Amino acid sequence: MSNVPWRSDSYWTSPYNHLPEVRNTLALPSKVILHDATLRDGEQIPGIVLRKEDKIEIAILLDKFGIERIEAGMPAVAGEDAEAIREISRLKLKAKIFAFARATVGDIELAKEVGADGVVIEVPIGEPKLEYQFHWTWRDVLDKSLGSIKRAREIGLTAVFFPYDTTRSKPEDLENLLKGVMNEAPPDSIGVVDTMGCTLPQGIAFLVQRVRKLTGLPVEIHTHNDLGLGVANSLMAAAAGATVIHGCINGIGERTGNAALEEVALGLKILYQLDVPYKFEMLPELSQCVRMRTGFPLAPNKPVVGERIFTRESGIGVDMVKKYPLSMFALDPRFIGQKPSVVLGKKSGKLSVQQKLEDLALGELSSDQVEALVSQIKQMGIARRGLISDDEFKMLVAQAQAGKL
């Protein structure tokens, strides 16, 4: 175990993260929690339907993993969604259960009826939304917001005010809306919502700090991944003082998806060195459950939970994959419930063959036999534009031993 923060038995990150010139730019809270939206925003992918039993199973695993808040759905969407939230609330999980709601008293009261601890109250504030979709002004949004926030607070729900498309709002509209809300119906927290995933990390940091200054309330961050910045923007928001990060397991969600919550969780732990409760060894099980229940495929190179992120074909350094994985990866695969592996194909070399012989307990071969194997494996890999299976390798080894290669 090392005594430097960027290195442990489980990970080895960059020492540059910890230079004073870097750390002094961070305004990290002492605690950041995760708000999982897989059961609501994750279901926004066209064609995905999560039934009650799906949501219950995923919620139980999220809770075991250590997620602090679960957004279990929008009860006004369908009777089964309402029943799913009710059933999840009855489980008495450690996680707080939230419902998603429009800014109507009816939606707020329904969230309470199904047993939610809190409610995410959505209203539009982005200029394109107000101008083209709703034909509203910021005053209209304020008028529609006040009653729902007040009702949520009256009936004991934690009220998250969620002015979506925040990042495309006119600065004066956002300021007027937030000041009006604070004057007449302060919620418990405010969401900064990058609905279209179109904001630089620096813009997110500015908005988090601006909203904190305007309201004095805790700020939550909700990002999408349209330009590939969902996780970066979430971590930047935390660095600017956001105390809650929204996201979805496997990065699923509307259009290009939400911030991948498993990636955010790791960032909080190994990059920011925050004390977090997450059981990272559970990630393969949780990811697989979401994958199976949604039917939504996962790229094999998906960060953190992809099936091949610790797989090596190239012969260079292949012996280190298992002997000292931190020389090849930032994470020890075992830390997140995975295993390193060696596969064979066009890019393999002698070390690859020797490692595979060891993995499959096939004994040793002479130098000439290994050379012949490498040559044959490369030819097969090129011809099929793919990899050689373990069974094929065993057959090739037998041929090499018989002098038939």
Side-chain angles (χ1 to χ4, degrees):
M1 177 71 70
S2 171
N3 60 358
V4 294
W6 58 87
R7 180 181 171 186
S8 76
D9 291 339
S10 300
Y11 57 84
W12 193 328
T13 62
S14 171
Y16 297 98
N17 295 331
H18 299 275
L19 293 176
E21 294 89 340
V22 174
R23 302 304 287 191
N24 291 342
T25 67
L26 307 181
L28 281 168
S30 58
K31 184 177 182 181
V32 178
I33 68 172
L34 297 184
H35 174 111
D36 180 86
T38 305
L39 306 185
R40 200 275 306 171
D41 218 340
E43 198 182 20
Q44 293 293 100
I45 297 174
I48 285 184
V49 176
L50 291 172
R51 303 298 301 271
K52 181 175 71 173
E53 60 271 20
D54 300 324
K55 291 193 172 191
I56 291 171
E57 181 179 356
I58 294 171
I60 290 171
L61 284 179
L62 287 168
D63 188 60
K64 288 180 179 178
F65 174 68
I67 293 293
E68 294 93 343
R69 286 181 9 186
I70 298 171
E71 187 179 312
M74 186 174 183
V77 167
E80 188 171 350
D81 278 44
E83 186 58 30
I85 299 170
R86 185 179 284 109
E87 289 294 323
I88 291 169
S89 297
R90 287 173 179 162
L91 293 173
K92 302 298 181 184
L93 304 175
K94 289 175 289 183
K96 296 295 184 182
I97 306 304
F98 278 66
F100 196 75
R102 298 164 297 186
T104 68
V105 170
D107 274 20
I108 303 305
E109 291 178 343
L110 184 54
K112 180 67 173 179
E113 181 186 323
V114 299
D117 301 299
V119 62
V120 178
I121 305 169
E122 67 155 351
V123 293
I125 193 57
E127 182 180 2
K129 294 288 185 185
L130 297 188
E131 182 172 348
Y132 296 108
Q133 185 176 351
F134 293 96
H135 308 291
W136 291 351
T137 69
W138 70 266
R139 292 182 186 277
D140 296 316
V141 179
L142 177 62
D143 290 342
K144 295 174 187 300
S145 301
L146 297 177
S148 57
I149 299 172
K150 287 178 182 177
R151 187 59 180 150
R153 299 294 299 274
E154 286 170 357
I155 59 180
L157 291 172
T158 299
V160 180
F161 186 54
F162 196 78
Y164 69 90
D165 210 9
T166 318
T167 56
R168 297 197 298 173
S169 63
K170 290 181 179 178
E172 60 271 24
D173 284 356
L174 181 62
E175 182 172 340
N176 288 331
L177 175 64
L178 293 180
K179 285 182 176 179
V181 164
M182 291 305 296
N183 285 336
E184 300 189 52
D188 292 287
S189 60
I190 307 286
V192 169
V193 190
D194 191 22
T195 305
M196 303 305 165
C198 59
T199 312
L200 285 168
Q202 292 84 350
I204 291 292
F206 171 84
L207 267 172
V208 169
Q209 292 164 350
R210 180 66 174 155
V211 170
R212 287 180 68 201
K213 185 175 181 180
L214 286 170
T215 66
L217 293 177
V219 174
E220 309 192 5
I221 184 69
H222 180 107
T223 66
H224 282 258
N225 209 36
D226 296 66
L227 298 177
L229 293 170
V231 171
N233 279 342
S234 296
L235 293 176
M236 179 63 93
T243 54
V244 181
I245 297 176
H246 296 213
C248 296
I249 298 300
N250 294 344
I252 64 173
E254 193 169 6
R255 300 185 316 282
T256 57
N258 293 61
L261 217 54
E262 65 277 4
E263 298 174 32
V264 173
L266 268 175
L268 295 177
K269 168 68 175 178
I270 72 172
L271 299 178
Y272 285 161
Q273 298 287 299
L274 293 180
D275 185 20
V276 296
Y278 313 122
K279 297 177 181 177
F280 292 105
E281 69 278 5
M282 277 190 61
L283 281 175
E285 180 186 6
L286 177 55
S287 172
Q288 177 70 4
C289 176
V290 170
R291 198 180 329 171
M292 296 300 293
R293 289 290 182 171
T294 61
F296 197 72
L298 192 70
N301 66 338
K302 163 72 175 64
V304 180
V305 291
E307 293 178 348
R308 286 194 172 175
I309 58 173
F310 297 110
T311 299
R312 184 83 174 173
E313 179 187 351
S314 174
I316 300 173
V318 72
D319 55 326
M320 290 290 101
V321 167
K322 296 187 177 182
K323 292 178 181 176
Y324 198 81
L326 291 180
S327 67
M328 306 302 292
F329 315 113
L331 296 166
D332 187 314
R334 294 166 295 186
F335 178 54
I336 54 174
Q338 295 223 42
K339 296 179 180 179
S341 65
V342 173
V343 294
L344 300 175
K346 172 188 173 181
K347 296 176 283 292
S348 299
K350 292 180 181 179
L351 284 176
S352 307
V353 168
Q354 290 166 347
Q355 183 64 56
K356 183 62 76 171
L357 287 168
E358 181 181 327
D359 291 347
L360 300 177
L362 296 177
E364 296 184 1
L365 296 179
S366 69
S367 178
D368 288 344
Q369 289 172 328
V370 169
E371 286 275 9
L373 264 178
V374 169
S375 177
Q376 186 63 28
I377 287 167
K378 285 180 176 290
Q379 290 177 37
M380 291 175 64
I382 292 169
R384 66 176 51 172
R385 299 187 179 191
L387 299 173
I388 312 304
S389 71
D390 284 353
D391 285 341
E392 289 173 321
F393 179 69
K394 291 176 183 178
M395 179 186 68
L396 291 174
V397 169
Q399 290 176 358
Q401 290 170 332
K404 295 180 179 179
L405 281 185

